[in-house]
Amino acid sequence: MNKSANKIIGQLGEDKAAEFLKKHGYKILERNFRYSKIAEIDIIAKDYKTIVFVEVKTRSTTNFGHPYEAVSKAKLENIFQAALYYLAQTQEKYENYRIDLISVLGKENPKIEHLKNISLN
């Protein structure tokens, strides 16, 4: 599959993840927040008084592994750095923050899994 097709699938997955979060009471604050060439946060949302930095991984099938398997420790560290930058720049102050992962698997009726509070350890 070429890069543009992967980008389209990724964007559709992020749209599904944003819909999922809204259905579960989250307020979407930003999408595709870019910190640097290597760090982008797919979705920044608010869950009550907690700001949530969400990485979304989308796959059509598990032929190349589960979507979560595509998130490396280095990727999480980049998200963490971007999150700290975002928190330093925002006017609003939050009591808590966390990093979540959302997996979107399948095309027609995708299965969505949400892992909360991912640790860098």
Side-chain angles (χ1 to χ4, degrees):
M1 196 176 295
N2 63 35
K3 283 191 177 196
S4 62
N6 284 341
K7 194 169 186 118
I8 291 168
I9 291 170
Q11 186 61 53
L12 291 172
E14 287 177 22
D15 291 346
K16 292 287 185 191
E19 288 172 25
F20 173 87
L21 290 170
K22 287 179 193 172
K23 265 190 221 168
H24 287 86
Y26 289 68
K27 179 181 179 194
I28 306 300
L29 302 176
E30 289 206 39
R31 294 197 42 194
N32 304 112
F33 174 79
R34 186 166 294 285
Y35 166 61
S36 68
K37 288 181 183 178
I38 59 169
E40 179 182 82
I41 300 173
D42 295 327
I43 299 172
I44 301 174
K46 190 172 178 181
D47 181 24
Y48 300 102
K49 294 182 180 183
T50 300
I51 189 165
V52 184
F53 301 97
V54 183
E55 174 67 9
V56 180
K57 285 298 176 190
T58 306
R59 296 285 182 271
S60 300
T61 69
T62 56
N63 291 349
F64 298 101
H66 190 280
Y68 290 144
E69 293 177 70
V71 182
S72 66
K73 184 175 181 182
K75 175 72 173 173
L76 285 175
E77 288 170 351
N78 288 339
I79 293 167
F80 181 73
Q81 290 301 317
L84 292 178
Y85 175 79
Y86 181 88
L87 288 169
Q89 299 302 311
T90 187
Q91 298 296 315
E92 190 169 345
K93 299 303 172 202
Y94 297 92
E95 290 183 19
N96 301 301
Y97 71 92
R98 69 177 195 252
I99 296 173
D100 290 4
L101 291 178
I102 292 184
S103 159
V104 180
L105 182 59
K107 287 183 182 178
E108 298 305 316
N109 191 13
K111 179 181 179 190
I112 298 175
E113 293 179 42
H114 184 186
L115 294 179
K116 296 180 182 179
N117 205 21
I118 302 303
S119 164
L120 293 177
N121 298 332

